[in-house]
Structures are given as C-alpha cells and as structure tokens.
Amino acid sequence: MTANDGINFQDATYNGTEIFSSAKIGQIEAWYPSWPGGYRDEIGFSASVPPFGGTEVTDLGNGFEVRQVFTEFTRWPNCICCYRYEQVMHFYRRPVRAALRFNGPGCDDLSIYRPFWRIDLTLDGPGGDEVWYWDETQWVEATEELEIYPIVDDLSPDGDKLATFDGDIHYRWWMEPTDPLGLDEGYFFLIARNENEGEGPILTGPGDTFIPPRQWIDGDELSGDDPVLWFVPLLKTKKGDPWWCMPDPDPDFSPCEAILVAEPGDTLRQPTAEELAEIQAAATPTPEASEVEEPTAAPSPTPRPIEGEDAETIILNAGCSVCHVIGDIGEAHKVGPDLSAIGFEAGGRVPGMTAAEYIYQSITDPNAYLAPLCPNGDCQPNIIPKDYRNRLTAEQLDTVIAFLLEQTTPSVTPETVGSNTVIETVIAAKAAPAGKLAPQDTSSAATGVSQTMVVQLLVISLVLIFTLILLVRLWRS
C-alpha cells in the first residue's frame, strides 16, 4: 500500500519472465463538465480516500484476484459527493486484468470517471522492449513517446490495440469495456521511463488535462528501452435507460469499471487484403460531440435524507467536507472556499443580511450569492447541491448553522515544499462582497445573531491601544 497511489503491484511474472515491475493508480478524476476543474482524488493510506478493510485475495480456480476498497467509510453511502473505489487486479494463467471499480454514490451530475493507471513495462527484465500500436489499418512501431486515442473502436482484426515485445516474449494490450451503451473510451500514453515521470509518488495534476502523464511526452526514444504505459479509461455516467455509474436510485445499483487486459500473444501480422477491405468498408466518420445523442435523463427519485444529529456527522454525510475545510473537518484546496472563519465573515458578505441568514441561504439556495474566492479562482454557480432543503430537517439546519456561526478562526494548513513542511495561514477578507446571481430571499431564513462581534473587536482594539500608551508613559517616567 502506498501513501497516495493505492496498491503498488510489483514484479509480476508469467512462466518466470517479468511482465511489469510496477502497476499503480496515480490519481482518479471525477470530471463534471458543469463544474470548474472537475474533481481529483488519491487513494492510499495517507490519501483523500483511504483504504477500508484489508486487502482481499481470492482464488479464482484458474488464477487469483486482488481487491482493495477505498472509501470514507463513516460517510458512505449516506452522503453526497462521496466516493467508493475498488482497485482490482486479476492474474490468470495467461492474461492479467487491471480495473478500478466505481461504486458511487458520487455527485448527482453527469460525469466521466477517469482512473490513471501507471504500468512500468519490463518484459523479461529491464531494457530491450519494443512497442507497436494499431493505427487504423496497420501495425506501426512506436519509436517515440506518444498518446493514443481512441483505444476501444479502432482495433486490429484480432481485437488488439497495443503490442509489446522483448525477443520471444510478446504481449497484447487492450481495454475491455463493460459499458452497456458502448460510449466508454480511453487513452494510452507511452512514456520513456525516467526518474521524473512517476516512478516515485505521483502528484495529481489539473483536471481535464491528462497531466500527468501528458507533460512528459517530449519526443524521447521509446522502443528498445523500458516504456511506461499509462492507461486512462473514460467511464461516462448515464442517468436512466439504463442507469450507469450513477448514485440513484441506489448507491450499489450501478457500479462501473473498465478493464485493461494484458495477454501473451504471437508474432504480429499485418492485415490481409480481404481484412483491410473489410476494415475500410466498416469505417465510418466519428460524429461530432454535439451530434452524439445523450440518453434521456430519467426523473430523479425522492432525495435520500441525510443522516446525523450532531453538526459534524451532518456535515460529513452531506458531503460538505469534500469541497470545504471547516476547522479540523474537510480538505483544504478543493472546490469550495475555506469555512473555518465563516461565522466571522458571513455577517459582512451581503448588506442587511445577518450571518445566520447568509449561511441559511447559502445552504438552501446556493446560487443566490457566491463567496468572493475559491481555491481554484472565482467561485462558480451550480456546484453545491440544491436539494439540501429537502434532505435536511429544520433541526439539522439549525444545528449546522449554529456550528458554522461558531467558526471564527482562520485555518492553518500544512504545505510541503520540497522536503520541508511549512505552515500556510488562510485568512479570508470579511468585507469582500459576494457575487450576486439572484434576488435576495430571506423570508424563510433562520433567525440569527447580529453583527455585535465587529463592535466587540473594535472595543478590544481600543483597550489594547490605550494600554500600550499607558505602558509607554510609565516606562518613560
């Protein structure tokens, strides 16, 4: 188990010859087109989604399976925007299958799940590996680093996409989709191995950029060395007819996965004239994204109530800590602003609105006003779920609001720079106004305290100033 890259499978061999020296998952993206930046997770014992339970090894008769669950177990499956991943490897007498299974519930929005597998190929030991890929009508040697897309549709007559060789050791690689609608796809990235491209702990990159590993494709020689294969499937969620990779109507209802298969093969062969004619006849233009017909969205079932009586449990189950840091709760530098001092800041956000009223409306009508600053830039609409009013009871809302009003201390977040750990103090400006997107509506807002805290702080400041003046005069006398 690694700190941030899940389980690292090392030194896999078949009949005494090595297949790969390392296979692990560097990051997991839940890409929401309606969200800026999407969402990135890490799995591992010090990661954003830690392991739950032990690593299971199951005898399959003709092989064995290794499976590890990663989840925030105290919050799943009853929370919003929580994730449950299963890293899976199947080792059979011939093929190897690698998969990451998504059980949800995730966020109730159409999205694309993207696990980033990194596999360090070392066929029959270090050095001497050749890489070939199927390029629509023929096998082509990959002499330089490259990116391959698509990897599901354009396959060789034998159903392969990638081939690796070291002398007499031959392996074929392809993605085995499990999507019932046939919309899933994926990427292969082939990189020359060096110390800078993920052999150690992998740092997650910006969403929707495929970084890592795209930044390492710079024309280095590939064949004849030790290539590294990155496999990134694109698992597209579907909402109805059928449900797929979505939390509703039940968290366990629509899990999804895409499987990378590696299997020993024979010498490559180019297609015959007859096979080439069939390939060309079957080729059809790929429709533009705007022309792809999306499945009709089914009506969302009645929202599941959020469980919990105390503030911390409600906040965790509601998924607030996935986007926000609130004192000791949650993760910093995610999607939403730091709420560690929201009790102090909220009263000055919207003129004429108390801190309690502002917090209530931010929960029940999140697009009405936006906070001035988020970790990734300006805060964006349509990020916070809009059904908290229906999923939380009045008592739960009161409990959460009272808890947030008590949060008046800016958070202190440890940051690692090189080999040193430094402390970054996050202080939000109280006077910065929220971006207004809708008319103010406080008719049903919770009753709260006024802004007496500001007056109290001013009085304390004046007392301190007068005290300092008196001390100076006493010292001079």
Side-chain angles (χ1 to χ4, degrees):
M1 181 75 67
T2 69
N4 302 95
D5 304 331
I7 294 179
N8 188 8
F9 296 87
Q10 295 178 309
D11 302 327
T13 62
Y14 171 67
N15 279 351
T17 59
E18 195 168 17
I19 306 169
F20 60 78
S21 60
S22 172
K24 59 183 180 179
I25 295 177
Q27 72 175 14
I28 301 168
E29 280 188 6
W31 178 253
Y32 295 87
S34 60
W35 292 22
Y39 211 90
R40 288 164 301 289
D41 271 327
E42 296 174 331
I43 54 175
F45 65 79
S46 293
S48 55
V49 183
F52 175 54
T55 304
E56 297 182 1
V57 181
T58 304
D59 187 351
L60 302 176
N62 63 339
F64 64 95
E65 172 193 82
V66 182
R67 182 181 293 268
Q68 176 65 55
V69 172
F70 298 85
T71 184
E72 301 155 291
F73 63 93
T74 58
R75 312 166 204 180
W76 189 91
N78 296 311
C79 66
I80 299 172
C81 293
C82 296
Y83 297 88
R84 184 178 189 269
Y85 308 123
E86 289 183 82
Q87 187 179 4
V88 184
M89 288 284 280
H90 291 160
F91 296 91
Y92 296 95
R93 288 200 175 96
R94 284 181 59 84
V96 177
R97 286 183 167 88
L100 186 77
R101 184 179 179 90
F102 295 85
N103 288 76
C107 300
D108 191 11
D109 249 339
L110 291 177
S111 60
I112 304 174
Y113 288 135
R114 303 167 178 167
F116 284 61
W117 277 93
R118 179 194 181 274
I119 302 175
D120 195 340
L121 303 178
T122 49
L123 297 184
D124 200 21
D129 293 347
E130 295 183 16
V131 179
W132 291 68
Y133 67 97
W134 178 259
D135 186 18
E136 296 186 355
T137 59
Q138 61 181 333
W139 285 101
V140 178
E141 184 175 8
T143 56
E144 294 183 352
E145 298 171 317
L146 79 160
E147 168 184 329
I148 303 174
Y149 176 88
I151 64 173
V152 171
D153 296 329
D154 299 326
L155 302 178
S156 75
D158 297 321
D160 309 316
K161 188 65 179 183
L162 198 67
T164 53
F165 299 87
D166 189 340
D168 295 332
I169 308 300
H170 301 173
Y171 269 85
R172 302 289 186 273
W173 305 79
W174 71 92
M175 172 177 164
E176 183 179 287
T178 56
D179 167 25
L181 295 182
L183 297 178
D184 289 350
E185 252 299 345
Y187 282 83
F188 284 147
F189 297 87
L190 289 155
I191 313 292
R193 181 168 63 86
N194 61 66
E195 61 184 9
N196 298 319
E197 61 72 46
E199 188 172 4
I202 300 172
L203 298 178
T204 59
D208 205 33
T209 62
F210 297 95
I211 293 177
R214 185 175 276 164
Q215 77 271 30
W216 295 314
I217 297 180
D218 53 13
D220 286 349
E221 185 177 346
L222 191 67
S223 279
D225 201 348
D226 289 326
V228 175
L229 170 63
W230 284 74
F231 167 56
V232 186
L234 312 180
L235 310 179
K236 302 178 183 180
T237 61
K238 294 93 189 174
K239 217 171 181 181
D241 298 327
W243 292 91
W244 188 249
C245 280
M246 290 297 294
D248 290 321
D250 181 81
D252 284 322
F253 180 77
S254 58
C256 60
E257 63 186 353
I259 302 170
L260 175 64
V261 181
E263 188 169 14
D266 298 323
T267 303
L268 281 182
R269 67 177 185 87
Q270 297 292 6
T272 64
E274 292 77 11
E275 289 174 332
L276 187 58
E278 291 179 5
I279 293 171
Q280 293 172 337
T284 56
T286 302
E288 297 295 331
S290 60
E291 297 176 0
V292 177
E293 184 177 351
E294 294 292 338
T296 303
S300 183
T302 302
R304 295 185 298 274
I306 294 171
E307 298 180 356
E309 296 181 2
D310 61 281
E312 183 170 344
T313 302
I314 297 169
I315 286 171
L316 294 178
N317 287 342
C320 308
S321 59
V322 178
C323 293
H324 302 279
V325 60
I326 312 170
D328 295 332
I329 304 174
E331 302 175 47
H333 307 307
K334 286 291 187 178
V335 178
D338 190 325
L339 301 182
S340 300
I342 190 62
F344 173 70
E345 299 165 3
R349 287 279 172 84
V350 180
M353 184 178 285
T354 68
E357 290 170 341
Y358 173 81
I359 293 173
Y360 177 86
Q361 189 162 36
S362 297
I363 296 172
T364 59
D365 188 10
N367 281 348
Y369 295 92
L370 298 181
L373 186 64
C374 284
N376 298 320
D378 293 339
C379 295
Q380 302 293 323
N382 302 317
I383 300 239
I384 301 176
K386 305 178 187 67
D387 60 355
Y388 282 140
R389 188 196 300 265
N390 298 324
R391 302 188 66 179
L392 294 168
T393 65
E395 291 77 13
Q396 287 176 316
L397 278 170
D398 289 343
T399 300
V400 171
I401 292 169
F403 175 81
L404 293 176
L405 287 172
E406 295 172 356
Q407 307 306 307
T408 57
T409 305
S411 66
V412 178
T413 304
E415 291 288 339
T416 300
V417 179
S419 59
N420 300 317
T421 299
V422 298
I423 300 296
E424 174 192 353
T425 302
V426 182
I427 303 178
K430 172 183 170 64
K436 185 172 182 180
L437 296 180
Q440 178 178 335
D441 176 13
T442 60
S443 59
S444 59
T447 303
V449 297
S450 65
Q451 301 177 46
T452 56
M453 188 176 293
V454 178
V455 177
Q456 293 171 355
L457 290 173
L458 289 174
V459 172
I460 293 172
S461 300
L462 290 173
V463 171
L464 288 174
I465 292 171
F466 284 123
T467 303
L468 287 172
I469 293 173
L470 289 173
L471 288 174
V472 170
R473 286 183 176 178
L474 288 172
W475 176 74
R476 287 181 176 177
S477 61

